[in-house]
Amino acid sequence: MLLEIEYHSEKEAFRKQTESTGLMRKVKKGEAWFPLNIGKSYYNSLNQMAIEVTRNTDTDTEHNFEFGRPVAFFKTDGKSLHYFNFTGTVSFADGNRMVVIIPDGGHAIDLQGCTEKIGIQLFFDETSYKLMFEALDRVIKAKGNRLAYLRDLFYSHQKAEHFSFTAQRFPWLNPTQEKAVNEVLWAKDVEVVHGPPGTGKTTTLVEAINETLMRENQVLVCAQSNMAIDWICEKLVDRGINVLRIGNPTKVNDKMLGFTYERKFEGHPEYSQLWAIRRAIRDLRSHRKERDEKYHQKLEHLKARATEIEIRINSELLGEARVIASTLVGSANRLLEGQKFGTLFIDEAAQALEAACWIPIKRATRVILAGDHCQLPPTIKSIAALKAGLGKTLMERIVENKPEVVTLLKIQYRMNEKIMRFSSDWFYHGQVESAPQIKFRGILDYDTPIEWTETAPVTNDKDNTKAASGEGRDGESIINKEEARITLEKLEDYFTKIGKQKILEEQIDVGVISPYRAQVQYMRKLIKKKEFFKPYRHLISINTVDGFQGQERDVILISLVRSNTDGQIGFLHDLRRMNVAITRARMKLIIIGDKDTLCRHPFYNKLWEYINEED
């Protein structure tokens, strides 16, 4: 099974990394925080032991810690690492601060009392794989039920069933968005909303969920990542829909927290009584007397009362919510045990492993998938599993087998026409058009919306070209220092053309993108040192392609990094990543790259020709 190959590959990679990767390399890759300040510990509203930790360093190194990920604490005497004998789970991570849920039983005291330097690193996530294996096993064995029907439908060319009733009118949506909402309402089995960049996929999905709730009491909404599910939750809350978010959002503010299960649980009228009973249980356990014959009787009585109140609160919270929202893996939460839903919506379905999608499908009668399989794919670490087809998503499978259940959103509201046109022609058969009001949007009069700056000197000496590119290796990520310098020079030149007053008055925002993390981190260091950018730093974001998924900026610069004599472009071969990168720009797109290296590939050659034709 391909998922097993990926599982063993990731597990082995984690083992090797833990044993051989140097501590500071882990920190640089965003897999560890060190040194660490251990803060206060406390019981949260769900009666879990939580401990606060902060990075004891002023750094902007991006990291991979997020809600739900397993972690391990370690201490070091400067020579070797020693792991504490328990693992924790990230409750949230925000900047340089993180809250970790740890097992109750003195572990907080062990951390707080440790005299050696402490760190924390990501631990191998067995749970997600276990849930995916269970889901696949359940799907394979399903017979004579709805799950078996959906499985057979998705894997065949059998026609999906539809309801037939008069189309609804939604004058505030464009015609393809209106069609998509109606197709969702008509679908008995499955529907796919295909949303290219800037076409209002979230707007359409929120409308479809709202209309579905006119016909059903409750729906389940899932996405692959916490960020994606939080984003759609926020839009649903803005529509006045009662959302219950299972699992904490990664961003911590009152609006986001307000619809989480934890905050609603805490706000329930019976919560104070439950908290008092839990405290009484902890006191009873810590002050137990040797010959107290009534100890067990008292304990069981208190536990029974606590359970009764918990069940009552859970029942009310789940009963009142119109939308239950979670990540795909989070839908296996014990709170949803026995719950069934008429409709399951899966957002960003093109980024989710097929096995992960089957986790919530077991709870649903029909499935609506939304996303864009021409943008970021799922992350697969095993090359063998990827080549064998693990990267093929359920959404892609359904799009191939059942084109009749796919509705393409065709009007985009983000990009200048010239930026959008190349993406539309290459990825969407030229079907995506610009809304009239944004077709000619720009920052400067007579500006060129899209340009390519060559970084390597044009000579016949290919070795000289490579040497001039400054390409090297930093860990497992490629870095091109000369190109990084040129990228920031281009931004400085463009800002000078626009003028400081216009930039600050109009809050013109900029994204600097590179596919390589090392390049991102190097450019972040460079921009900090440059006095010119000081007034504009709040307007500039530098990140990887994945870090910009779902975002947009007035100006985008892309540093492509690769420069060599034999045309090796690494994972720039994944054109879906480039589609994401170039479609983040609203008004100006500047590509920085070595034409001689990149244009041996037909995509980049066509892009180069397109840009120069436009000039």
Side-chain angles (χ1 to χ4, degrees):
M1 188 193 287
L2 297 181
L3 190 62
E4 282 180 351
I5 296 172
E6 173 73 357
Y7 166 71
H8 291 300
S9 171
E10 191 172 342
K11 193 169 185 177
E12 180 62 14
F14 176 80
R15 185 189 66 78
K16 284 181 180 173
Q17 179 208 22
T18 302
E19 290 175 1
S20 62
T21 306
L23 175 55
M24 297 325 290
R25 178 70 60 80
K26 287 180 196 174
V27 170
K28 203 168 186 178
K29 288 176 70 179
E31 307 290 328
W33 283 8
F34 179 85
L36 209 61
N37 284 332
I38 304 294
K40 65 177 181 177
S41 59
Y42 55 91
Y43 286 94
N44 69 11
S45 59
L46 300 181
N47 206 31
Q48 300 164 319
M49 173 58 76
I51 191 161
E52 290 187 3
V53 301
T54 52
R55 273 198 276 198
N56 188 18
T57 178
D58 179 26
T59 179
D60 61 356
T61 301
E62 59 179 288
H63 60 80
N64 301 320
F65 292 90
E66 63 170 16
F67 170 79
R69 296 203 68 174
V71 290
F73 288 92
F74 60 83
K75 56 188 175 182
T76 179
D77 53 10
K79 294 175 185 175
S80 56
L81 300 186
H82 302 281
Y83 288 88
F84 287 81
N85 65 346
F86 63 90
T87 56
T89 307
V90 177
S91 179
F92 80 80
D94 186 34
N96 288 333
R97 178 173 168 262
M98 180 157 49
V99 172
V100 180
I101 304 301
I102 59 175
D104 199 355
H107 298 307
I109 296 167
D110 292 343
L111 292 169
Q112 289 160 335
C114 184
T115 55
E116 295 173 278
K117 284 187 175 179
I118 290 180
I120 189 170
Q121 75 169 61
L122 289 169
F123 203 65
F124 181 64
D125 187 3
E126 295 267 6
T127 309
S128 297
Y129 279 105
K130 186 182 171 198
L131 291 169
M132 286 193 282
F133 285 132
E134 285 174 0
L136 287 180
D137 190 52
R138 192 183 304 111
V139 171
I140 290 163
K141 291 177 178 173
K143 282 182 184 176
N145 57 14
R146 187 66 185 171
L147 186 63
Y149 173 80
L150 291 175
R151 175 200 64 207
D152 296 343
L153 182 72
F154 295 167
Y155 280 84
S156 69
H157 293 286
Q158 177 188 336
K159 295 287 183 192
E161 292 189 21
H162 285 82
F163 296 107
S164 56
F165 48 80
T166 308
Q168 301 280 102
R169 289 299 322 279
F170 305 100
W172 51 93
L173 299 179
N174 70 47
T176 56
Q177 290 172 333
E178 182 176 89
K179 180 178 186 296
V181 174
N182 276 300
E183 292 290 352
V184 168
L185 298 177
W186 288 327
K188 264 189 187 178
D189 302 321
V190 63
E191 173 65 20
V192 174
V193 179
H194 182 188
T199 54
K201 171 181 67 67
T202 303
T203 301
T204 307
L205 197 58
V206 167
E207 199 63 55
I209 291 168
N210 191 52
E211 280 301 311
T212 301
L213 288 171
M214 303 287 184
R215 298 155 174 77
E216 298 173 22
N217 186 49
Q218 193 177 65
V219 298
L220 178 61
V221 179
C222 294
Q224 170 69 16
S225 68
N226 282 291
M227 195 183 295
I229 198 65
D230 287 344
W231 175 245
I232 194 157
C233 280
E234 203 169 336
K235 298 301 175 191
L236 290 166
V237 169
D238 287 344
R239 286 293 292 267
I241 295 169
N242 186 338
V243 174
L244 181 63
R245 169 74 161 91
I246 307 294
N248 282 352
T250 50
K251 293 177 186 172
V252 182
N253 60 50
D254 286 341
K255 182 176 181 180
M256 300 296 281
L257 278 174
F259 53 80
T260 62
Y261 171 80
E262 189 169 32
R263 181 55 65 89
K264 290 191 175 188
F265 190 93
E266 225 171 71
H268 193 276
E270 290 192 74
Y271 175 70
S272 55
Q273 186 186 351
L274 176 62
W275 183 253
I277 294 168
R278 285 171 172 172
R279 193 172 56 217
I281 291 170
R282 286 196 290 272
D283 289 345
L284 187 63
R285 281 174 170 157
S286 59
H287 298 107
R288 182 184 179 185
K289 292 172 186 172
E290 282 295 320
R291 296 187 179 179
D292 186 352
E293 293 174 7
K294 293 187 177 178
Y295 168 79
H296 288 294
Q297 189 179 337
K298 288 177 190 171
L299 185 64
E300 290 308 313
H301 176 65
L302 287 170
K303 282 164 75 176
R305 282 181 62 198
T307 302
E308 182 190 327
I309 295 171
E310 265 187 69
I311 290 169
R312 194 156 57 241
I313 295 175
N314 289 346
S315 178
E316 283 184 30
L317 294 181
L318 288 165
E320 289 168 1
R322 302 299 311 280
V323 169
I324 305 291
S326 75
T327 60
L328 294 164
V329 171
S331 68
N333 195 297
R334 60 177 181 79
L335 292 168
L336 298 182
E337 215 166 287
Q339 292 280 116
K340 294 287 183 186
F341 300 88
T343 306
L344 162 66
F345 290 88
I346 301 178
D347 194 15
E348 299 297 358
Q351 282 183 264
L353 284 176
E354 181 169 357
C357 290
W358 285 108
I359 298 172
I361 290 175
K362 70 171 183 179
R363 304 189 186 281
T365 302
R366 67 185 195 128
V367 185
I368 311 301
L369 301 105
D372 181 11
H373 49 286
C374 301
Q375 291 189 62
L376 286 182
T379 303
I380 311 285
K381 293 184 179 172
S382 164
I383 293 169
L386 183 63
K387 285 181 175 174
L390 184 63
K392 188 164 189 174
T393 63
L394 185 63
M395 178 170 162
E396 283 179 284
R397 194 178 299 284
I398 293 167
V399 168
E400 276 182 22
N401 289 344
K402 297 181 173 31
E404 72 278 3
V405 305
V406 181
T407 304
L408 177 70
L409 303 180
K410 295 181 181 178
I411 302 173
Q412 69 88 20
Y413 299 87
R414 176 185 300 166
M415 294 160 271
N416 177 292
E417 166 76 14
K418 288 181 181 177
I419 297 171
M420 181 278 301
R421 177 53 47 206
F422 181 80
S423 171
S424 176
D425 289 347
W426 186 278
F427 293 99
Y428 308 104
H429 310 291
Q431 292 186 77
V432 179
E433 300 290 338
S434 298
Q437 63 269 33
I438 58 94
K439 202 167 187 176
F440 304 109
R441 71 189 322 185
I443 296 168
L444 296 169
D445 293 338
Y446 309 112
D447 198 1
T448 306
I450 178 169
E451 59 182 81
W452 184 321
T453 297
E454 253 207 289
T455 54
V458 182
T459 83
N460 293 323
D461 183 352
K462 291 300 178 184
D463 290 330
N464 186 37
T465 301
K466 183 178 179 184
S469 78
E471 183 177 334
R473 280 203 167 265
D474 179 13
E476 295 172 6
S477 186
I478 293 176
I479 189 167
N480 185 329
K481 293 184 177 182
E482 177 64 12
E483 186 172 293
R485 185 186 62 74
I486 292 168
T487 302
L488 296 187
E489 275 180 7
K490 282 298 297 182
L491 180 57
E492 187 174 336
D493 289 347
Y494 194 61
F495 268 13
T496 303
K497 275 185 190 174
I498 300 169
K500 184 175 180 179
Q501 187 179 351
K502 183 178 172 77
I503 293 166
L504 296 177
E505 278 181 5
E506 297 181 16
Q507 292 289 291
I508 294 168
D509 55 0
V510 176
V512 183
I513 302 177
S514 178
Y516 295 96
R517 179 175 289 191
Q519 186 81 341
V520 165
Q521 291 178 352
Y522 183 69
M523 288 193 292
R524 284 177 180 169
K525 285 177 191 168
L526 280 188
I527 208 164
K528 271 188 172 180
K529 292 176 187 172
K530 291 199 84 143
E531 192 65 26
F532 175 86
F533 291 111
K534 200 170 181 182
Y536 314 119
R537 279 181 192 151
H538 65 293
L539 295 170
I540 302 169
S541 312
I542 305 178
N543 215 331
T544 57
V545 181
D546 298 54
F548 271 102
Q549 172 75 354
Q551 300 183 41
E552 56 188 79
R553 297 289 188 274
D554 294 324
V555 181
I556 287 288
L557 295 91
I558 306 170
S559 168
L560 293 174
V561 178
R562 302 300 294 225
S563 180
N564 51 66
T565 55
D566 49 7
Q568 293 297 317
I569 64 170
F571 76 5
L572 292 183
H573 272 293
D574 189 344
L575 304 181
R576 292 175 292 184
R577 273 194 158 71
M578 276 308 296
N579 188 31
V580 172
I582 64 180
T583 57
R584 301 308 95 195
R586 296 188 195 106
M587 305 185 219
K588 179 75 173 181
L589 173 64
I590 302 171
I591 295 167
I592 301 98
D594 176 7
K595 170 184 175 287
D596 288 347
T597 300
L598 294 156
C599 288
R600 298 187 203 186
H601 189 289
F603 172 86
Y604 295 97
N605 189 53
K606 188 77 177 171
L607 180 58
W608 169 268
E609 288 174 358
Y610 173 81
I611 290 168
N612 287 287
E613 279 168 16
E614 294 299 332
D615 288 346

